Amino acid sequence: MSDGNAHTNPIFNSNGLKLGTFCTNTVSAITKAPELTEPTWKNMLAAARLADGFGFEAITPIARWKGYLDGAPDHKSNEIFEAFTFAAAVSQVTTHSAVFATSHAPTLHPMAIAKMASSIDHMSGGRFALNVVGGWNRREFDMFGIDLLDHDERYAYLEDWLSVLRRLWSGEEFDYQSPYFKMKGALAHPTPVQAKIPIMNAATSLTGMRFAARNSDIGFCTPRGDDPRAWKDEIAQYKALALNEFGRKIQIWTNATVVLRDTVAEAQDYFNYFTGEAIDRPAIDSLMNTMIRENGLDPSDPKVAFMRKRMSGGAGYPLLGDAQSIAEQLRQMAEAGIDGVMLSWVDYIDGIDSFGRKVLPLLEDFGLRGAKS
């Protein structure tokens, strides 16, 4: 990791457990619960300002061009602010947090990304970071009129795409030709503020993990199991892959859906409600069928049941309880080797505020975080 990043981008700070908001440009949970945050710009800005004020390291939008339910153009999963525009705007109302954008690489040429990312890096004073994904939702690719590549070829494309992007960020002028790109006199100025814009990539397959270990500053993963204490070996193996095969140290982050209540029982009851009685069943069924089909999964595989459970809650570990129990679970994640957690809520405004007031002081007491500087 470049020292040039450490001075401006908080994802390289010394906190033992870094925090971010996830799906901050849309709704996260696939639920019909009435308190679900409406995906309005007013709400997105309010959530970003709260996270920044509490010293969160990251504000992260996702890349989604189309929702999960066919024949339902009014479904809420279609309501999402474009990630780079979102990051540019959020950079102007925050002063601390890293502002991420997420890019479905095949939908945007690296020439355009190079300029957009560098512009946001200047706007934010060197706080930009990029979450790179290869895509999986065929509905989106159909809208662009491009092919959704086979799983392993997506990563071959992504490798080429990212190498071109980083070369453009170097400021040199060059010609380039590969199976995926043909460029002549390629040049992208101004170059970024940071010596190296941080890259995050989410992966669960071995091919994807190898790509992240070789190319990313943050490997974003979903460890198996509901006890963070059991994640230690899995996370250690991921970090060892990066270090032993590629000579790199990477951070490992995960995501979690937060339900903070006065008691553990109240939190569990609410989680059961919004993932059960109030779940948007047609949407979750369609989402899971798409993931099974496009990733060649066996519907009877226990991994699929695990994925459905996590997706029903908004994708990620269900972080449930009172403030003390949530802080303790986060400490267990850190002890297992997790470097950062992207958080989501059903109600982002109340959720971030309550988390910041009640949980952050406990994490400081644990020595996992310092007070915001």
Side-chain angles (χ1 to χ4, degrees):
M1 297 178 184
S2 168
D3 289 340
N5 291 349
H7 301 299
T8 59
N9 201 308
I11 68 169
F12 296 106
N13 69 21
S14 61
N15 282 340
L17 184 69
K18 299 168 180 61
L19 299 171
T21 61
F22 195 54
C23 297
T24 324
N25 58 333
T26 184
V27 294
S28 172
I30 305 176
T31 183
K32 295 181 179 180
E35 55 274 21
L36 182 69
T37 299
E38 288 292 326
T40 65
W41 185 238
K42 179 181 178 181
N43 287 339
M44 302 299 103
L45 282 183
R49 286 184 169 120
L50 277 169
D52 186 66
F54 282 121
F56 282 36
E57 280 78 11
I59 298 170
T60 308
I62 62 170
R64 185 196 302 147
W65 295 102
K66 193 173 187 180
Y68 308 133
L69 198 58
D70 294 324
D74 294 331
H75 192 265
K76 279 188 177 181
S77 62
N78 293 310
E79 297 290 332
I80 184 165
F81 288 95
E82 191 281 319
F84 284 86
T85 312
F86 172 89
V90 166
S91 75
Q92 299 306 288
V93 297
T94 56
T95 60
H96 172 78
S97 301
V99 285
F100 275 79
T102 300
S103 173
H104 278 144
T107 67
L108 292 167
H109 195 282
M111 186 74 245
I113 296 293
K115 294 286 283 187
M116 293 156 63
S118 183
S119 297
I120 301 171
D121 204 38
H122 281 265
M123 293 176 192
S124 65
R127 291 184 289 124
F128 181 69
L130 181 61
N131 180 27
V132 176
V133 296
W136 58 272
N137 188 349
R138 191 175 297 274
R139 299 172 183 86
E140 298 171 320
F141 285 70
D142 288 345
M143 291 198 303
F144 280 89
I146 57 178
D147 293 330
L148 177 61
L149 301 174
D150 290 339
H151 180 271
D152 286 0
E153 191 179 356
R154 292 175 210 171
Y155 285 100
Y157 178 93
L158 204 56
E159 189 98 36
D160 197 27
W161 184 92
L162 186 56
S163 68
V164 172
L165 180 60
R166 283 177 162 157
R167 192 168 176 184
L168 286 163
W169 281 336
S170 75
E172 67 171 302
E173 184 175 8
F174 61 95
D175 297 339
Y176 188 80
Q177 186 162 346
S178 74
Y180 303 113
F181 301 106
K182 183 179 180 180
M183 305 168 69
K184 186 174 181 178
L187 179 70
H189 282 191
T191 57
V193 171
Q194 298 175 85
K196 188 181 76 169
I197 287 179
I199 299 295
M200 179 169 71
N201 177 255
T204 56
S205 69
L206 180 57
T207 300
M209 291 173 64
R210 287 181 61 82
F211 171 85
R214 183 167 53 246
N215 295 287
S216 302
D217 300 283
I218 295 174
F220 194 78
C221 71
T222 304
R224 297 292 299 274
D226 292 328
D227 185 349
R229 290 169 293 189
W231 298 353
K232 190 170 185 177
D233 288 347
E234 184 177 347
I235 296 165
Q237 289 171 11
Y238 202 158
K239 292 184 177 183
L241 172 65
L243 185 62
N244 296 338
E245 292 199 31
F246 306 110
R248 306 183 67 249
K249 291 183 178 181
I250 65 170
Q251 297 182 27
I252 301 299
W253 288 41
T254 191
N255 56 335
T257 299
V258 181
V259 179
L260 172 60
R261 294 292 186 269
D262 291 336
T263 68
V264 175
E266 288 176 320
Q268 185 66 62
D269 286 347
Y270 182 73
F271 183 80
N272 293 342
Y273 160 72
F274 84 81
T275 62
E277 175 188 340
I279 195 171
D280 188 341
R281 195 164 301 283
I284 189 65
D285 288 346
S286 180
L287 170 60
M288 289 306 304
N289 288 337
T290 300
M291 296 190 73
I292 290 168
R293 180 179 64 249
E294 301 301 346
N295 291 287
L297 301 175
D298 180 352
S300 64
D301 188 331
K303 179 180 178 181
V304 172
F306 176 78
M307 289 171 60
R308 184 184 180 92
K309 179 180 178 182
R310 289 291 172 88
M311 290 292 181
S312 298
Y317 174 83
L319 191 57
L320 318 176
D322 58 12
Q324 188 67 43
S325 64
I326 284 178
E328 181 58 37
Q329 290 172 78
L330 288 168
R331 177 162 67 174
Q332 291 170 3
M333 291 184 190
E335 290 173 347
I338 290 291
D339 298 291
V341 185
M342 297 285 189
L343 305 172
S344 58
W345 296 262
V346 174
D347 181 341
Y348 275 75
I349 309 304
D350 178 71
I352 296 172
D353 182 61
S354 297
F355 184 94
R357 290 184 294 101
K358 298 176 182 179
V359 179
L360 282 184
L362 299 176
L363 297 179
E364 292 174 14
D365 291 343
F366 289 161
L368 291 172
R369 298 182 60 81
K372 179 188 171 186
S373 57

